[in-house]
Amino acid sequence: MDNKNWGIIATWRMAFDGITEGATMLQDNKSATDAVLTAVTRVEDYPYYKSVGYGGLPNEKGVVELDAAFMDGTTMALGAIASVKDVANPILVAEKLSRERFNSFMVGEGAEQWAFEQGFEKKEMLTERAQQHYIKRCRETLYRGLSPYTGHDTVGIAALDLDGNISVGTSTSGLFMKRPGRVGDSPVSGSGYYADSDIGAATATGLGEDLMKGCISYEIVRRMGEGMTPQQAADSTVNDLEKKLIARYGRAGDLSVVCINKDGDFGAATNIDSFSFSVETSKHPATIYVCERKGSETHYSPATQEWLDAYQARITAPIE
Ligand code: ASP
């Protein structure tokens, strides 16, 4: 497959530095897989992102449990890990598992053991800052009755390379204050991510329990395969799932997605007000977008300097 376009797109602002690095790699004819792994790893390693990798927020027992997945949309190979502790870069373990014929989705102790046997780095993933967040939330939950479950942001990154290969990866510490052993959509194929190089890829963030009810990423790729643009596929899938959940389940949690097709065109959709995403393609400069939902359409505009400054101040602010 030869393709003149390349592109990389990610959920949230936090992936911006990673995706610009990934974009440089794609322009240099590196693979979509390498670009995704590099970009996700950057987010995992940055201590101030409190929902992914090092610095991720812990479960209700104060332990950081991580989920990650990787899919190669050309070979359809996929690998995933869930509920793992002390693994420095879960995305790299997921990618290695995608190259295994069997046992490609592993959880808990078995996954950790395998990862360390394979030589992946072991690291205490709970930072002092994450611990402070935890203590603060325990206090708030106890005294003010706040929902322990607010607060999440999975990184999902999809890339298209010059050979026409599309890959996708996710990494998350899941919902803050989740029950030990709880697993969301991020490592689940078709829900947190999906890629098919003949069509495109999608990845999701939000309330895993609800994203999984609609196999949202697979559904977006399927709709793109039926001829929808990425934006149409993203908007219609989020709207349809939200409507169905409200009608039949009584409520819908946060649902946010990004996607890219094999021509390097992209889309994003959300049912919340605070969703941002990062993108760079051969046709589009590196941009952080902030989304706004208008009726059944998601509109986005580049993040203003004010927005970016407020973001940086928020993620580094002292915890009181
Ligand atoms: N979807 C993730 C989960 O439910 C959370 C997130 O996107 O932030 O685990």
Side-chain angles (χ1 to χ4, degrees):
M1 275 187 277
D2 223 16
N3 174 41
K4 62 184 181 356
N5 292 309
W6 55 266
I8 183 162
I9 188 164
T11 56
W12 306 111
R13 181 263 172 268
M14 64 182 163
F16 185 71
D17 296 342
I19 67 128
T20 51
E21 198 176 334
T24 306
M25 294 170 70
L26 293 167
Q27 290 171 73
D28 282 352
N29 219 354
K30 300 267 180 356
S31 71
T33 294
D34 285 344
V36 165
L37 296 180
T38 299
V40 175
T41 305
R42 292 294 167 269
V43 184
E44 287 179 337
D45 289 343
Y46 190 69
Y48 284 100
Y49 297 143
K50 56 188 170 58
S51 48
V52 178
Y54 184 60
L57 294 176
N59 65 19
E60 66 177 16
K61 300 280 185 232
V63 177
V64 182
E65 285 182 331
L66 303 163
D67 306 331
F70 172 81
M71 181 168 188
D72 176 329
T74 299
T75 63
M76 314 297 285
L78 64 85
I81 52 173
S83 224
V84 296
K85 297 186 278 293
D86 304 329
V87 174
N89 291 108
I91 188 65
L92 301 181
V93 181
E95 190 277 334
K96 178 111 201 248
L97 282 170
S98 77
R99 289 184 269 128
E100 296 284 310
R101 177 70 185 101
F102 303 108
N103 310 298
S104 54
F105 189 173
M106 296 178 73
V107 304
E109 249 175 65
E112 289 158 16
Q113 224 167 41
W114 184 83
F116 301 137
E117 274 165 25
Q118 298 295 311
F120 286 101
E121 188 189 344
K122 188 171 185 174
K123 182 168 166 180
E124 167 56 76
M125 300 299 274
L126 182 67
T127 59
E128 216 179 293
R129 188 175 172 81
Q131 207 163 8
Q132 287 170 354
H133 273 294
Y134 172 75
I135 293 165
K136 182 177 179 217
R137 184 59 63 90
C138 288
R139 240 188 290 129
E140 290 171 341
T141 312
L142 204 62
Y143 300 125
R144 289 200 264 144
L146 292 178
S147 161
Y149 293 111
T150 51
H152 56 79
D153 286 356
T154 292
V155 68
I157 302 184
L160 161 73
D161 68 28
L162 285 166
D163 289 329
N165 300 301
I166 299 176
S167 293
V168 64
T170 60
S171 186
T172 189
S173 51
L175 293 187
F176 184 21
M177 290 294 193
K178 63 189 178 184
R179 209 171 281 158
R182 178 265 183 193
V183 175
D185 59 303
S186 309
V188 177
S189 161
S191 290
Y193 67 98
Y194 198 75
D196 180 338
S197 298
D198 287 342
I199 304 170
T203 179
T205 177
L207 183 65
E209 282 74 359
D210 284 355
L211 293 161
M212 285 190 281
K213 293 182 175 87
C215 298
I216 196 162
S217 293
Y218 179 81
E219 182 59 19
I220 292 168
V221 173
R222 194 191 68 75
R223 290 182 190 203
M224 291 195 290
E226 293 204 327
M228 284 192 189
T229 64
Q231 190 55 41
Q232 287 167 343
D235 264 331
S236 67
T237 305
V238 166
N239 291 334
D240 290 353
L241 179 57
E242 187 187 46
K243 263 192 226 135
K244 200 185 249 193
L245 287 172
I246 291 170
R248 296 174 39 187
Y249 185 67
R251 59 192 173 282
D254 295 1
L255 314 169
S256 302
V257 297
V258 295
C259 56
I260 188 166
N261 70 9
K262 63 179 171 42
D263 302 319
D265 297 321
F266 64 88
T270 185
N271 68 345
I272 60 169
D273 287 332
S274 52
F275 182 54
S276 60
F277 70 97
S278 306
V279 64
E280 183 172 356
T281 77
S282 45
K283 306 184 244 188
H284 198 92
T287 311
I288 298 165
Y289 280 108
V290 180
C291 295
E292 192 187 345
R293 196 185 201 196
K294 293 188 179 159
S296 57
E297 285 176 3
T298 301
H299 292 223
Y300 33 83
S301 44
T304 59
Q305 195 53 47
E306 198 185 350
W307 187 94
L308 293 169
D309 292 346
Y311 176 90
Q312 196 57 27
R314 195 169 61 244
I315 66 165
T316 53
I319 301 154
E320 281 142 27

